[in-house]
Amino acid sequence: MDSNGGAVYCTLLLSDNYLPGAMVLAHSLRDNGTKAKLVALFTPDRLQSTTIDELRTVYDELVPVNSMVNDTPANLWLMDRPDLIATFTKIELWRLTQYQRVVYLDCDIIALRAPDELLSLEADFAAAPDVGWPDCFNSGMMVLRPNLQDYYALRALAQRGISFDGADQGLLNMHFKDWHRLSFTYNCTPSANYQYIPAYKHFQSTISLIHFIGARKPWNMPRQIVPLESPYNQLLGQWWAIYDRHYRLPFVPTTSAEIEKTALAQGPVGDPTSFHGKSVEHEHSAAVPVLSMVPQYVRGEEHVSTFIPPFPPAPITFAPRLSHETYEPEIQTPTQAQLHYPSGHIHQPQPLVPIRPISEYQSPPSPAPDASTFEAPTWDPSREPPPVNTRPEGISLQQKTYNMSEDTHLFQPPSSYPEAPKNMWYEVPAKPEPKPTTVFPWEHHAPKPTRVFAEALVELVETPTVPSEQKQHSPPSESTPPGPSSSYTRVPYEPSAESWQTYTRSNAWDEDPEIQRYIETIQGRRTKSQVTSPGAQSNSPGKSPPTPGFHPNTKITDFPTEVERPSLPVTPAPIHRTSYGNEASGTAALPTAEGVCSQEEWNPLAQLEELHRQHSEVLEHPERLSSRLAAAAYRER
Ligand SMILES: O=c1ccn([C@@H]2O[C@H](COP(=O)(O)OP(=O)(O)O[C@H]3O[C@H](CO)[C@@H](O)[C@H](O)[C@H]3O)[C@@H](O)[C@H]2O)c(=O)[nH]1
Ligand SMILES: [Mn+2]
């Protein structure tokens, strides 16, 4: 009993010609590091003793079993596999009760990694789906617990010949209906199904076991078949790699003379169907030292003669194997022609693909051709569009396998990281503010704004002497340009005064000489066009331009003196004119607001008193309010 509690890998050998498979399978498991016991069931009545001896070199235990032949083999012919007549012998696996668990593998399987986890799988019976009918499992790989109940049940079915394919897979699928499904990567069968190539490319690295189902087995096929990159041919290469590691003959001819000699020495091979049993004994000549029994059952050796010739012999009239692009290993049975590498002296074999014109091949003296020699004619991308209907090229890209790091140290972050770069933002270039379009003529040479704030004003206001002229509210002469607002402050500066007193209380419309002139030109125009206007007639004669420096007509507002008006002089008030008779008529032309006393008579104190009186009246006699409002509404109507 080993660490897996008696779990073993096990295969079955029914005939000598499957010996290479059994041997390569065992090597693939060992090469991949499994420590588990390797067991081989074999049928002594059907095998040569040398075959059994050979098995002993790699298998830990050999278990002889009686072969169980299907007496009603009709269904085998549905598969065209009469050679599977004895595969009912597989049910002997359930009699291996000396082992707790058996991972059974067909002889035509290789391991790309040892699937040791299957040795401890918690399932009574597990397998992977079959590519031909995925509801069924493929019986080439099974994880099972040997037990006599299943054994006798299976044997009963077998004796009655109950199997839909006439072999073990049909029988086992009828018995184990509830099988534990394992990943296809545990029993990956090469196939040419529509989904196969992309899936293969994707899952390739996860494959544990490859199963070469079908009548043709890797050891009966050449080492290399083009296209080399097709999944089947790549997997075939994997089988041959293991085989070569353990059994490749030491002699490899390299010169053309050696090639010729070796080919002649091996001679033509007989009917391939006769290679069962002893008829194969003559096949390897003395020129090739035979150290093991295995190579004599390896038909693949024959058609490559353990070498690849440097170039196809010329003249060549048939397609060399290298041009075999539509290889379908599961369907084709090897013909004699397929088992021969075409060298000059061998009779004309049947080509596998339509013969290409000789011009498609390179001439013999050119360097050794590789697979690409037989590619489609070269394409000049600078001159023509890509050729249509060519083979995809991605599949032939180099594949790389990366290994996980085995470093067991924890990641240590660096003590500091470099400073992040600064000033990475984009400086938006400043767009110059567009100058506001000028409306009035004086704006073209407008003086710089001279607004002054409170602090600065303290000094400015203290110094200037207000001209007496302005105290009398006369308009400023043109010789006095509009300067800082302090020159127009008529209220003497008082440090305790409210801040509003410090503001400019001049009206540019009254005091800016340019505005004065502008108004005069407009008035002039109005005079010409509206002759009948009484204001125009009285205001401006329209005969001579106004006298510069004196514009009494245009002055319409000013700050009233404290005598004129008791309220605070916050805003300029309309000038109450008495000096110009026609001015008065102009003012009289404006209708006075109804119910509002004139500016001059407005007494804010009296008005406040009145407001207060009304307010208290409403509070004391609310009923009067409604009658008041009703009266007001009636008035409005
Ligand atoms: O002449 C033979 C034939 C078969 N076997 C053994 O039986 C197994 C099954 O035969 P195989 O040629 O591998 O069959 P497959 O092509 O794999 O065909 C399918 O169908 C078979 C019959 O149902 C099942 O046994 C397989 O697992 C299943 O993959 C082989 O691996 C060997 O272990 C021999 O030893 N010698
Ligand atoms: Mn098989």
Side-chain angles (χ1 to χ4, degrees):
M1 286 277 162
D2 60 22
S3 59
N4 280 305
V8 296
Y9 288 109
C10 182
T11 192
L12 166 70
L13 188 62
L14 300 171
S15 61
D16 295 310
N17 61 324
Y18 273 66
L19 178 64
M23 301 305 281
V24 167
L25 166 65
H27 285 299
S28 74
L29 288 165
R30 281 280 179 257
D31 292 356
N32 280 294
T34 188
K35 300 274 187 289
K37 197 176 275 180
L38 303 183
V39 178
L41 302 190
F42 70 101
T43 47
D45 55 329
R46 294 173 163 255
L47 298 173
Q48 294 202 45
S49 62
T50 48
T51 299
I52 298 163
D53 290 341
E54 198 68 46
L55 284 175
R56 276 192 233 284
T57 64
V58 280
Y59 283 90
D60 303 298
E61 282 187 45
L62 299 190
V63 179
V65 290
N66 290 324
S67 57
M68 191 182 291
V69 179
N70 187 353
D71 293 329
T72 48
N75 285 349
L76 280 177
W77 292 96
L78 294 175
M79 292 194 292
D80 206 15
R81 292 295 302 274
D83 56 318
L84 297 178
I85 185 99
T87 54
F88 278 173
T89 311
K90 258 189 209 179
I91 64 175
E92 287 294 320
L93 289 167
W94 278 265
R95 217 145 61 120
L96 300 176
T97 49
Q98 65 270 44
Y99 310 123
Q100 264 200 359
R101 201 176 274 110
V102 169
V103 176
Y104 169 77
L105 301 171
D106 261 1
C107 280
D108 52 346
I109 284 176
I110 54 165
L112 299 190
R113 59 171 282 277
D116 282 354
E117 65 275 14
L118 296 180
L119 296 165
S120 49
L121 190 79
E122 277 304 323
D124 287 338
F125 182 80
D130 183 78
V131 272
W133 197 267
D135 284 348
C136 294
F137 58 85
N138 181 284
S139 61
M141 188 281 302
M142 299 178 286
V143 184
L144 58 109
R145 291 179 195 271
N147 69 87
L148 294 180
Q149 291 94 310
D150 281 330
Y151 172 72
Y152 284 115
L154 290 168
R155 203 172 77 164
L157 287 174
Q159 279 165 351
R160 284 149 60 203
I162 295 175
S163 164
F164 60 73
D165 69 353
D168 63 292
Q169 184 163 309
L171 180 136
L172 292 166
N173 269 282
M174 291 170 91
H175 180 69
F176 294 105
K177 297 259 166 59
D178 287 319
W179 47 286
H180 176 88
R181 178 183 164 148
L182 290 173
S183 161
F184 187 67
T185 54
Y186 285 118
N187 187 355
C188 180
T189 48
S191 130
N193 275 332
Y194 76 104
Q195 175 65 179
Y196 197 85
I197 291 178
Y200 172 79
K201 292 290 289 178
H202 188 74
F203 294 110
Q204 193 178 11
S205 61
T206 65
I207 297 173
S208 298
L209 300 165
I210 299 168
H211 185 185
F212 296 92
I213 56 168
R216 301 198 65 197
K217 299 303 181 195
W219 52 95
N220 294 329
M221 283 189 262
R223 268 192 180 72
Q224 288 184 318
I225 301 172
V226 290
L228 294 173
E229 66 274 13
S230 89
Y232 187 89
N233 296 341
Q234 283 193 9
L235 297 175
L236 181 69
Q238 302 263 20
W239 190 94
W240 277 101
I242 303 161
Y243 173 81
D244 285 346
R245 194 151 63 228
H246 296 277
Y247 300 109
R248 184 158 191 172
L249 300 174
F251 176 69
V252 179
T254 46
T255 67
S256 46
E258 283 172 343
I259 291 162
E260 186 66 16
K261 199 176 156 205
T262 312
L264 284 169
Q266 287 185 347
V269 197
D271 179 4
T273 56
S274 73
F275 62 43
H276 295 244
K278 292 179 181 172
S279 62
V280 295
E281 277 176 9
H282 69 280
E283 281 180 11
H284 280 277
S285 74
V288 180
V290 177
L291 307 171
S292 157
M293 285 298 292
V294 177
Q296 78 176 54
Y297 299 109
V298 175
R299 292 287 161 144
E301 293 287 334
E302 293 166 11
H303 34 128
V304 286
S305 303
T306 69
F307 68 91
I308 300 179
F311 50 80
I316 188 165
T317 52
F318 50 85
R321 290 203 62 92
L322 284 174
S323 67
H324 185 191
E325 293 189 0
T326 53
Y327 202 71
E328 288 177 6
E330 292 181 46
I331 298 159
Q332 293 180 341
T333 335
T335 63
Q336 184 175 356
Q338 288 168 327
L339 292 174
H340 289 254
Y341 188 81
S343 45
H345 70 283
I346 301 177
H347 57 276
Q348 291 266 319
Q350 290 286 311
L352 295 171
V353 290
I355 296 171
R356 295 190 195 181
I358 192 80
S359 56
E360 280 189 28
Y361 298 106
Q362 290 198 341
S363 54
S366 63
D370 55 1
S372 62
T373 312
F374 303 102
E375 288 290 317
T378 50
W379 161 53
D380 182 358
S382 66
R383 286 163 180 275
E384 60 215 45
V388 288
N389 301 327
T390 50
R391 218 170 43 202
E393 294 165 0
I395 198 168
S396 53
L397 291 174
Q398 198 201 348
Q399 291 174 11
K400 226 165 154 39
T401 308
Y402 295 92
N403 292 321
M404 287 285 284
S405 166
E406 285 172 8
D407 187 3
T408 52
H409 297 286
L410 286 174
F411 171 71
Q412 293 298 328
S415 54
S416 68
Y417 288 95
E419 277 282 300
K422 289 194 175 112
N423 302 332
M424 294 281 284
W425 59 82
Y426 171 67
E427 200 84 57
V428 182
K431 203 174 155 195
E433 280 272 311
K435 266 198 157 182
T437 47
T438 53
V439 178
F440 302 107
W442 58 87
E443 286 181 311
H444 292 302
H445 46 95
K448 281 218 152 113
T450 52
R451 185 164 175 191
V452 180
F453 294 91
E455 301 82 41
L457 200 65
V458 173
E459 294 139 36
L460 284 167
V461 173
E462 275 174 344
T463 40
T465 48
V466 180
S468 59
E469 184 190 43
Q470 286 176 10
K471 279 183 186 165
Q472 292 156 17
H473 310 154
S474 58
S477 68
E478 209 176 25
S479 57
T480 318
S485 53
S486 60
S487 60
Y488 296 96
T489 307
R490 52 177 69 252
V491 181
Y493 176 70
E494 296 162 31
S496 61
E498 296 292 324
S499 61
W500 57 264
Q501 285 183 312
T502 64
Y503 286 115
T504 300
R505 264 157 285 156
S506 64
N507 187 341
W509 279 78
D510 294 338
E511 292 162 11
D512 190 313
E514 274 213 57
I515 298 177
Q516 301 283 318
R517 265 203 303 277
Y518 178 68
I519 293 167
E520 277 165 19
T521 53
I522 289 176
Q523 284 175 336
R525 256 183 259 141
R526 276 180 62 202
T527 315
K528 275 174 199 159
S529 55
Q530 304 172 343
V531 195
T532 49
S533 158
Q537 277 173 347
S538 56
N539 269 355
S540 170
K543 282 162 194 166
S544 58
T547 321
F550 183 68
H551 315 282
N553 295 347
T554 59
K555 182 107 175 135
I556 50 170
T557 63
D558 200 358
F559 292 97
T561 60
E562 278 174 61
V563 182
E564 285 168 347
R565 226 182 90 181
S567 64
L568 299 171
V570 179
T571 53
I575 295 172
H576 182 67
R577 296 179 197 278
T578 47
S579 50
Y580 308 104
N582 40 16
E583 286 272 328
S585 71
T587 317
L590 293 170
T592 48
E594 202 185 314
V596 178
C597 65
S598 69
Q599 278 278 324
E600 292 78 31
E601 287 150 22
W602 180 263
N603 185 348
L605 281 174
Q607 293 299 325
L608 268 173
E609 196 59 34
E610 167 66 11
L611 194 65
H612 180 247
R613 194 189 56 76
Q614 284 180 7
H615 183 70
S616 10
E617 186 189 309
V618 169
L619 285 177
E620 281 160 30
H621 310 281
E623 74 284 351
R624 288 186 201 164
L625 178 66
S626 52
S627 60
R628 245 174 210 273
L629 289 173
Y634 178 79
R635 265 206 308 282
E636 278 192 13
R637 246 184 285 138

